[in-house]
Amino acid sequence: MYALRRTLTTRGASFAGSGVVLVLAGVLLGQHDVTRVGVLLLALTVASLVIVRRHGLHLEVSRSVAPGRVAIDQRSVVTVRVRNTETSATPILMAEESIDYALGDRPRFVLPALRGGVTQEVQYTVRSHTRGVHRVGPLQVRVRDPFGLTLRTAAVSGHAEVVVLPRVVPLTAGRSLGSGIGSEGSIPHMVALHGEDDQTVREYRDGDDLRRIHWPATARTGDLMVRQEDRPAKRRAVVLLDSRAEGHGGSGRSSSLEWCVTTAASVTAHLVEGAHAVHLLTADPGTDTGTRHDSTVERALDTLARVRLGGTDDMRSVLHDASALTGQGGLVVYVGGPLGDDDAHTLAALRQPGSSGVALVVEPGSFGGSRSRRRDPAANDVAEATAATLRASGWLTTVVDAATGPAEAWTSVVSSALVGAR
């Protein structure tokens, strides 16, 4: 009965109810014409139920999104292909796509009657003002009888994703921290595909040019040794993103987490342009170590698109894994909220002597999406304490609020480095 009630529209329920009343009234009062009208209403309702259920609605839906990775406010075209897998033709279907709220209103369209094996293709565009991985699907289909008495709905499984990358803000004055070529934190990269730990001399291999034989090393080892051509070393840069819930404030696009994600994406892209070998570390409970490590801009942006608020211990996992990357020096950049004393000292120790450390510490109390929101003095004190701990260890630090943009914060830190150098 519950399923029947859900199938009947308001008009269908009225017809069915009126039909039952008229049949009973006609029988009790002996009015055959009234009984016939009641039977007609009930027969019409039953016929409508048969019409909407004559097809099993066995549909196959596939989707493609082009492009699948987009910037904020960039449009993607979603192509939906609906195939009738039954031999009988489908009725005319009203379809509605289930999409994440951030992508806009749900697209609605009408699918014509499809013969068996026929595919119908429909396209629509989506756009998001916020970064993230947004879901498209499943498809909701509805079929209504010609009289509007019954309505059948079904959800066709299957979905796709639209990855909206974080915004990348152009940064300036980045080369004051180094041009990317030099000795600070650098390890030579060799032409041979052995990574950062290759040596400049290696054993002779078949096919090597004999003119590259290194005779002093050959005499010392007793084996033929050849020179391996170096290419300019890249400075290492490690970017740490804090995603702890307790370290951030606000919600939505005006939250401090979104500010940090945008800043981390901008700093990563900026340092890569400055010829740094950049490593982005963020918390990811789905990995074995609890930390996501990305060494290319494309992978870093994909990771940042998926960043969500996490637990208290997430940052500790990031700091632990970062120590293996910063042990040989290089630039360290921290973007996040205030830390406790122990975590702040652990972060401070990541900067090696002769290397640079940059910390952009957000003040969570200033983020909330309302201009009238007052700053929390206690939260500000904690942010200042974290900045003071890092500053005492030689870090370049600044405390930022909701009114400070990523480019402004980065410029202020780099400017302080220039002043100190003079």
Side-chain angles (χ1 to χ4, degrees), residues 151-170:
L151 177 65
R152 182 185 175 189
T153 61
V156 184
S157 60
H159 70 279
E161 291 182 342
V162 180
V163 180
V164 181
L165 305 176
R167 195 184 305 276
V168 177
V169 179

Side-chain angles (χ1 to χ4, degrees), residues 179-202:
S179 63
I181 306 300
S183 60
E184 180 192 83
S186 62
I187 300 177
H189 295 259
M190 307 306 170
V191 174
L193 304 178
H194 293 287
E196 296 181 340
D197 295 330
D198 286 341
Q199 302 298 319
T200 58
V201 178
R202 61 170 173 81

Side-chain angles (χ1 to χ4, degrees), residues 24-99:
L24 293 178
V27 171
L28 294 176
L29 299 176
Q31 299 292 328
H32 299 293
D33 292 338
V34 175
T35 303
R36 293 190 185 96
V37 173
V39 171
L40 177 62
L41 294 178
L42 291 176
L44 188 59
T45 303
V46 173
S48 299
L49 289 172
V50 173
I51 291 175
V52 299
R53 291 195 171 273
R54 64 180 179 178
H55 192 278
L57 293 184
H58 293 157
L59 306 174
E60 184 179 273
V61 177
S62 61
R63 294 173 183 81
S64 61
V65 182
R69 299 169 70 254
V70 296
I72 292 177
D73 292 332
Q74 182 180 349
R75 296 180 182 273
S76 287
V77 177
V78 181
T79 302
V80 183
R81 299 176 181 85
V82 182
R83 179 174 176 270
N84 179 17
T85 60
E86 295 189 5
T87 56
S88 60
T90 67
I92 297 177
L93 301 174
M94 295 174 289
E96 179 181 88
E97 274 276 75
S98 299
I99 63 176

